[in-house]
Amino acid sequence: MNNAPEFRNPQEAGASTSAPLPETRTIQPSRRELMRAVGVAGLAMVAGAALKGPLAMAQSSSSSPSLSTSKVNPFRDPSYAEGARQRMQQFSGGGADPEATRAIFAKMTSFDAEPWVAEWTKLAVPFEQKGAELESQGKMAEANKAYEKASRYYEVARFPVINHPAKQAAYRKCIENFRKAIRSWDPPLEIVEIPFEGKKIVGHLRKPKGVTRPPVVIRTGGVDGYKEGRNLNESLAIGAAGFEVDMPGAGECPIFNKPDSEKVYVAIIDYLTTRQDLDGRRIGFVGGSYGGYYGAKMAYVEPKRLRACVEFGGPIHYTWQEDWLRYLLTDEKEYFWPFPDSMIYANGLKDFDELVRTAPAMSLKEQGWLSKPNAPMLCVNGDKDPWISPQEIPLLLSTGEPKMARIMAGAKHMGRGSQERGAVGEMVNAWLKEKLA
């Protein structure tokens, strides 16, 4: 059975936009203990949410506070209308029923997590139950389709980030149903677990049929687009294997987004070079949205082991500065939810003030990378991005070694709103294929 459209391509997710259930791991105090607490508090909020053991994530021991304390109802306020329209379009395009989506948006009165999760859970549970019933009858293909739909609804329930026990519980259910849904995928998806600092990195690997020792493309990002929403078809289309992993501070990644978090990807590259069924001499890297940061950073960190790196709409320097962060806090509403909330959660911070204090240390300019040798790099984004500073790509192009770029005129984040977006995506894939040949 082919993958259904609910499991979108990596660059189609949220802001950032843009995890199966193997053995779970013990979580470091910063990101995992919350999942244990969720086993009591959050699971009670999500019908039937029950996984064995804690989820493999680097959870904070307390939920990140929300910046959204206004009495304004964002689901009705005109200043949020465009953001609401884009989110409804995103969820419906990913497989959610359009009418049900509109009904939920009409019912909501705030960004509070519990009512949001409850409404989407009501849509997920019937598909989850249907999947179980069909599976008991031995109708596996139909059952897996139902589980796929349930996973999609739980994915929306946990959106944009899992900074509340109810959202973490919904994410557990998303993973549980996703791992059932993929049983019919062809070629299959392998759940990979890589030991890492006493924890585990969980990744998804798919290999193209009929290709001996294919090259492999590591894909990651963004802040709200977790790996369960992706199918790796872009990599298969160019005869490459795809390895999908949540970026630091997202999904099941064992660590938060910090100045040294590239070590997660170094460990992944170390692992991939040991696989005899993959060509570890031909590795590409695609970072999307918030994770586009690593599409650039890894080009500097691993200039010899990576053959091609794509920086697709990621922060580099300007997005980490106070002026941009305050703009996101006060003026930016297209993300719909407060974007700094997602950054605070992903970076493992307490509040906006801590984000302002610590974010500049994430800058590749401040870290001294921009003048160093880099693997071949392709930089892509829209020049009207409201979430990631449009100054990032010009900075990359004006420093260090020559790079390639494709900037979509008049387009927003990662090319949203541009008629060229699809063609540019094909161009990126063609570039990767050439570099990995």
Side-chain angles (χ1 to χ4, degrees), residues 248-266:
E252 289 189 290
C253 189
I255 62 174
F256 281 117
N257 196 38
K258 302 292 184 181
D260 66 346
S261 293
E262 69 273 9
K263 59 188 176 181
V264 164
Y265 301 106
V266 173

Side-chain angles (χ1 to χ4, degrees), residues 385-428:
D385 192 335
W387 304 332
I388 303 298
S389 173
Q391 298 182 73
E392 305 293 25
I393 290 180
L395 175 62
L396 287 171
L397 297 181
S398 65
T399 56
E401 298 179 345
K403 306 165 187 71
M404 294 186 68
R406 179 62 164 88
I407 299 174
M408 288 166 271
K412 296 185 179 181
H413 186 61
M414 300 179 72
R416 289 168 182 266
S418 172
Q419 294 183 347
E420 297 184 312
R421 190 181 188 191
V424 169
E426 292 176 4
M427 176 272 294
V428 170

Side-chain angles (χ1 to χ4, degrees), residues 148-424:
E148 181 180 301
K149 196 76 170 181
S151 178
R152 173 58 186 144
Y153 281 126
Y154 282 125
E155 181 187 15
V156 180
R158 66 90 191 148
F159 194 87
V161 293
I162 47 178
N163 58 354
H164 185 280
K167 290 196 173 186
Q168 291 157 10
Y171 182 48
R172 292 166 67 96
K173 297 298 291 182
C174 171
I175 294 172
E176 179 181 330
N177 282 274
F178 175 85
R179 292 186 182 178
K180 293 176 180 178
I182 62 172
R183 294 177 296 186
S184 298
W185 283 21
D186 184 24
L189 185 150
E190 177 186 348
I191 306 302
V192 175
E193 294 187 343
I194 303 170
F196 177 78
E197 298 184 348
K199 298 173 282 290
K200 294 177 184 175
I201 300 166
V202 180
H204 295 173
L205 175 67
R206 294 187 80 193
K207 296 179 293 184
K209 286 184 172 182
V211 182
T212 302
R213 300 197 74 232
V216 58
V217 178
I218 300 168
R219 294 181 181 269
T220 194
V223 71
D224 56 33
Y226 299 174
K227 63 190 177 303
E228 290 74 30
R230 301 163 182 160
N231 56 30
L232 293 167
N233 280 346
E234 309 97 321
S235 297
L236 301 179
I238 61 172
F243 185 89
E244 186 77 44
V245 64
D246 295 314
M247 69 167 285
E252 289 189 290
C253 189
I255 62 174
F256 281 117
N257 196 38
K258 302 292 184 181
D260 66 346
S261 293
E262 69 273 9
K263 59 188 176 181
V264 164
Y265 301 106
V266 173
I268 290 169
I269 295 171
D270 290 344
Y271 167 79
L272 293 174
T273 59
T274 69
R275 297 266 311 217
Q276 296 304 305
D277 55 340
L278 302 173
D279 188 346
R281 299 167 301 174
R282 295 186 291 157
I283 302 178
F285 193 104
V286 178
S289 193
Y290 206 54
Y293 173 79
Y294 293 100
K297 189 168 190 178
M298 292 309 296
Y300 297 107
V301 174
E302 294 282 3
K304 294 183 178 179
R305 292 202 292 177
L306 292 175
R307 295 271 290 266
C309 291
V310 179
E311 191 282 291
F312 211 135
I316 300 298
H317 169 73
Y318 295 102
T319 305
W320 302 118
Q321 307 309 310
E322 182 172 355
D323 286 351
W324 187 264
L325 296 173
R326 292 202 179 279
Y327 145 72
L328 292 175
L329 178 67
T330 58
D331 297 333
E332 204 298 302
K333 292 183 172 62
E334 280 194 34
Y335 188 78
F336 197 53
W337 286 265
F339 190 20
D341 273 0
S342 293
M343 299 175 76
I344 290 166
Y345 174 76
N347 289 23
L349 306 175
K350 297 189 299 293
D351 53 32
F352 182 75
D353 289 342
E354 189 176 11
L355 178 65
V356 170
R357 288 196 308 271
T358 61
M362 297 293 296
S363 163
L364 296 189
K365 179 180 178 181
E366 295 302 318
Q367 292 175 16
W369 287 108
L370 299 184
S371 62
K372 295 183 178 181
N374 60 266
M377 190 190 307
L378 174 60
C379 311
V380 184
N381 202 8
D383 67 353
K384 303 297 183 186
D385 192 335
W387 304 332
I388 303 298
S389 173
Q391 298 182 73
E392 305 293 25
I393 290 180
L395 175 62
L396 287 171
L397 297 181
S398 65
T399 56
E401 298 179 345
K403 306 165 187 71
M404 294 186 68
R406 179 62 164 88
I407 299 174
M408 288 166 271
K412 296 185 179 181
H413 186 61
M414 300 179 72
R416 289 168 182 266
S418 172
Q419 294 183 347
E420 297 184 312
R421 190 181 188 191
V424 169

